[in-house]
Amino acid sequence: MDVTTIFLFFIYAFGLGFTLTSILKIKTKDFYEKIIMDIGFGLALLAVLIALIPLLRIPLDWKIILILSLAYPLYYLGRNFRHITQTLKSKEFHLRLKPTLSFFLLILIFGFTFFMYHQGAFSYPYLENDDPWDHAITIKYIAIEKTIYEPSVDSYLFNYLDARPPAYDGTMAILHQTSPNLMWTMKFFNVLIISLGILFFFYFARRLFGGSSNKALLATFFLAMSPTYLTHFIWSHALVMTLIFVGLYSFLKINEKWNLRILAMVAISSVFLTQETESMKYIIILGLFLLATSIVRRKADWSGLITIAGSGI
C-alpha cells in the first residue's frame, strides 16, 4: 500500500474542491457535507484540469497538480489564521463535529462498500479483462509522457486516448507518477473512487428528498446493495458515475444563486470529459429534469439551460 499517494489523492481532491467552493463563496452548514462534497468537486475540477493543462502545452505532472491544490488553501489559511484558530476552539464548532446517527450509518455503508470492492479486486493478482489492460497501457503512457495526446495525429496506439475523454486515465496517471505499482494503483483507487460515489450519492439524495436524511440513507443503502452497480470493475465508468452524483447534487440548487451555476458547470462538464456514452445518458437525465421543473413552475427553466450550455462550452 502506498500511503503517500493515498494522502496526495485527498490533498488533490479536497484542495481543488475547497479552492473552487471558496472562490465561488459557496457555504455549507453541515461540516461533514462540506468536507465530503469538496472532495467531489475537487475530483470534478481535476477532470477539467487534466483536459486543460496539456492543451496549454504544460506537462501533466503531479507536482503541478499539487501546487494548484495547495496554493489557495495555504493563502486562505495564512489570511484567516486567527479566525480559524478561534473557530476551532468555539463550542459551536465542536457541536458541528458531533456526527448524527444517519452520518454514522452512512460511514458504515461506505466502509462495507470499500471492503467488498477491495476484497474482490485483490483476490487475484491480475486485471480481469481487456478494458483494464487497455486503460493500463494508456495510464502508463500519460504518466511517462505527461500528455493526453498521442505521438502524432496518425497514430492509433491507445484505445482510451484521443479522442476518448481523458479524465479517468489522466487521474490514474497522476497517481501512478508517485505510486510505482501500476496494478495496485488502478485497483485501489478504482475501489476508492467507487466508494466515494456512495457518499456523494447520499448528499445528492438528501437534497432531492428535501433534506430528509432517512430517505437519503435508505436510497444509498439500496444503491450500495445493488449487484449491478459498477460490477464491471476497472474502467472509466467508475469515475463517471461518481461525478454524475456530484453534478446532480450541484444542479439541484442552481436557481438559488449565480455562483451555484458556475459550480454545476464545472461538475457537469467533468462528466463529459470522463466517458462519452454515459455523458449522452446524462444529458437525457438533465433534459428530463429541466422538463419536469419547467412543467411544475409553468415556465422555462432558463437557469438549467444556461448551466448545461455553459458545461458544454
Side-chain angles (χ1 to χ4, degrees), residues 129-140:
N129 64 4
D130 59 322
D131 279 314
W133 284 110
D134 281 341
H135 279 295
I137 295 168
T138 309
I139 291 165
K140 177 65 75 172

Side-chain angles (χ1 to χ4, degrees), residues 117 121 124 126-139 159-160 164-172 182-183 185-195 227-243 271 273-278 281:
Y117 280 108
Y124 46 86
Y126 40 79
L127 300 174
E128 69 272 18
N129 64 4
D130 59 322
D131 279 314
W133 284 110
D134 281 341
H135 279 295
I137 295 168
T138 309
I139 291 165
N159 191 31
Y160 289 114
R164 295 285 185 91
Y168 180 76
D169 291 323
T171 299
M172 290 293 181
L182 176 58
M183 194 170 296
T185 303
M186 292 176 65
K187 289 188 174 188
F188 180 85
F189 286 103
N190 203 74
V191 169
L192 182 58
I193 287 169
I194 291 172
S195 302
T228 60
Y229 182 62
L230 296 175
T231 49
H232 183 96
F233 197 56
I234 299 177
W235 59 343
S236 55
H237 288 62
L239 179 59
V240 79
M241 286 304 302
T242 295
L243 293 175
V271 174
L273 294 168
T274 303
Q275 211 284 331
E276 64 279 9
T277 58
E278 299 308 309
K281 300 170 189 176

Side-chain angles (χ1 to χ4, degrees), residues 162-182:
D162 231 358
R164 295 285 185 91
Y168 180 76
D169 291 323
T171 299
M172 290 293 181
I174 289 167
L175 297 168
H176 181 42
Q177 287 174 351
T178 55
S179 176
N181 189 328
L182 176 58

Side-chain angles (χ1 to χ4, degrees), residues 74-82:
L74 290 176
Y75 164 77
Y76 182 90
L77 179 63
R79 185 176 181 181
N80 301 280
F81 184 77
R82 181 176 296 180

Side-chain angles (χ1 to χ4, degrees), residues 119-226:
Q119 288 295 105
F122 290 94
S123 63
Y124 46 86
Y126 40 79
L127 300 174
E128 69 272 18
N129 64 4
D130 59 322
D131 279 314
W133 284 110
D134 281 341
H135 279 295
I137 295 168
T138 309
I139 291 165
K140 177 65 75 172
Y141 172 79
I142 297 173
I144 294 172
E145 297 298 329
K146 301 179 182 180
T147 181
I148 58 172
Y149 300 114
E150 295 207 28
S152 70
V153 293
D154 296 322
S155 62
Y156 301 97
L157 303 174
F158 307 99
N159 191 31
Y160 289 114
L161 197 66
D162 231 358
R164 295 285 185 91
Y168 180 76
D169 291 323
T171 299
M172 290 293 181
I174 289 167
L175 297 168
H176 181 42
Q177 287 174 351
T178 55
S179 176
N181 189 328
L182 176 58
M183 194 170 296
W184 179 87
T185 303
M186 292 176 65
K187 289 188 174 188
F188 180 85
F189 286 103
N190 203 74
V191 169
L192 182 58
I193 287 169
I194 291 172
S195 302
L196 286 172
I198 296 295
L199 300 179
F200 304 150
F201 175 82
F202 170 80
Y203 289 109
F204 153 65
R206 191 166 74 171
R207 282 195 172 189
L208 185 66
F209 293 130
S212 173
S213 295
N214 292 335
K215 292 179 181 178
L217 191 65
L218 184 61
T220 305
F221 174 78
F222 288 145
L223 176 68
M225 296 302 106
S226 172

